[in-house]
Amino acid sequence: MKVPNNRRKPFFPFAAEIMLALCFVLPVHATVHPVQHSAREQINAQVLNAASHEIEALAQKQQWHDYRYSFTIYIPSAVSTHMPCASSPQITSASSPEMALSRMNFIVNCPGSAGWQVNVAVRPDVSVPVVMPKSLIARDTVITADDLQLKKFNISGQREGLMMNMDEAIGLTSKRALQPGKPLTRSELVQPVLVKRDQPVVIVSHMAGITASMPGTALKNGRKGDVIKIRNTSSQRIISGVVEETGIVATLTAEQ
């Protein structure tokens, strides 16, 4: 059974069936036979509520915006033989929160001598705006805001690393060609090359609150934060430095 839901418009399963039953039963039997919920309806309501809480908690943790979700709930057919639970059934999660976007499992228990216990699986479908290319982005392209769009996508069962904020991608470089309509992942992007091999660079040295700079040459390509070898143009010494900005490398140790 697929049950749609979202954070603004909760959906109550079986509402139509219950109202239809009321229309036909109440005029004759209402005073003698009050409407009773079936065990299936009780289980469905408990599972829907618990699954919604798990998705809402994940949405808050991941800071999702404008998201929607629905559930396909798998209730065993043997439930049709169970009597409705006299009290509200108890429910516990049988899966880890990390599995919430793939498959959730719950145990629904009706206490008492005539009670029952049912294992229920739930498959979620969660749509969240994610970052996608507007058009084909070639390999080794520095990403700009004009290259990107936010578009809703079903992230259920997707691998981690989907980007939901365009600012995360802007300024990074594509590791391969990126197709339009497909979500961007962090693994597909890298920091741009800020220093290229044999390129003149400025070597900066920070010591005791004093910053000194000198010309140098990079001996390999480097991205922000990379440690590379550089040659001091004046002394011809080869030292190590960390790439800070385009054409700027900071020494790790002071030159002798």
Side-chain angles (χ1 to χ4, degrees):
M1 177 188 303
K2 191 160 187 175
V3 182
N5 205 339
N6 60 60
R7 59 175 178 170
R8 294 190 181 90
K9 299 179 180 178
F11 179 85
F12 298 95
F14 297 105
E17 291 83 348
I18 294 171
M19 290 304 296
L20 184 61
L22 286 173
C23 291
F24 285 98
V25 177
L26 280 178
V28 179
H29 303 286
T31 58
V32 180
H33 301 289
V35 176
Q36 297 290 325
H37 292 295
S38 68
R40 178 177 291 274
E41 288 173 329
Q42 291 179 320
I43 293 168
N44 188 78
Q46 290 287 335
V47 171
L48 177 60
N49 185 58
S52 296
H53 278 304
E54 288 206 13
I55 294 298
E56 293 289 350
L58 185 60
Q60 184 174 8
K61 179 180 178 181
Q62 300 291 338
Q63 297 183 331
W64 294 342
H65 299 285
D66 192 24
Y67 60 92
R68 292 181 179 274
Y69 56 85
S70 63
F71 302 117
T72 301
I73 301 176
Y74 300 94
I75 300 176
S77 58
V79 166
S80 61
T81 63
H82 296 343
M83 295 295 294
C85 194
S87 59
S88 180
Q90 301 169 356
I91 185 168
T92 55
S93 176
S95 55
S96 65
E98 292 76 17
M99 294 292 293
L101 283 178
S102 299
R103 188 180 180 91
M104 292 179 276
N105 295 286
F106 299 96
I107 299 173
V108 185
N109 180 61
C110 177
S113 57
W116 36 259
Q117 180 172 295
V118 178
N119 294 324
V120 180
V122 178
R123 190 190 71 198
D125 287 298
V126 182
S127 294
V128 180
V130 299
V131 180
M132 295 184 183
K134 288 181 180 178
S135 57
L136 179 67
I137 297 176
R139 178 181 177 183
D140 294 329
T141 299
V142 178
I143 306 297
T144 69
D146 291 337
D147 296 320
L148 307 174
Q149 63 180 336
L150 282 174
K151 191 173 182 180
K152 277 193 176 179
F153 183 79
N154 187 344
I155 64 174
S156 305
Q158 296 294 311
R159 61 190 185 278
E160 295 182 358
L162 294 182
M163 307 184 85
M164 300 180 187
N165 186 333
M166 291 198 299
D167 289 340
E168 294 181 75
I170 293 173
L172 300 183
T173 299
S174 54
K175 293 170 66 174
R176 60 180 180 81
L178 305 174
Q179 301 295 325
K182 291 187 177 181
L184 280 181
T185 63
R186 293 176 180 83
S187 62
E188 295 174 313
L189 303 176
V190 293
Q191 292 285 344
V193 174
L194 300 180
V195 171
K196 293 184 178 180
R197 181 177 180 178
D198 297 328
Q199 170 190 333
V201 297
V202 176
I203 304 172
V204 296
S205 178
H206 306 286
M207 291 186 60
I210 300 174
T211 299
S213 62
M214 60 209 79
T217 302
L219 300 183
K220 65 179 295 186
N221 292 346
R223 306 178 191 275
K224 187 176 180 66
D226 286 350
V227 176
I228 64 171
K229 295 293 185 181
I230 45 181
R231 177 182 288 110
N232 185 313
T233 302
S234 301
S235 67
Q236 295 300 304
R237 288 180 58 86
I238 296 176
I239 58 176
S240 295
V242 59
V243 178
E244 289 190 335
E245 299 177 34
T246 301
I248 298 179
V249 182
T251 59
L252 292 177
T253 57
E255 289 189 272
Q256 302 298 321

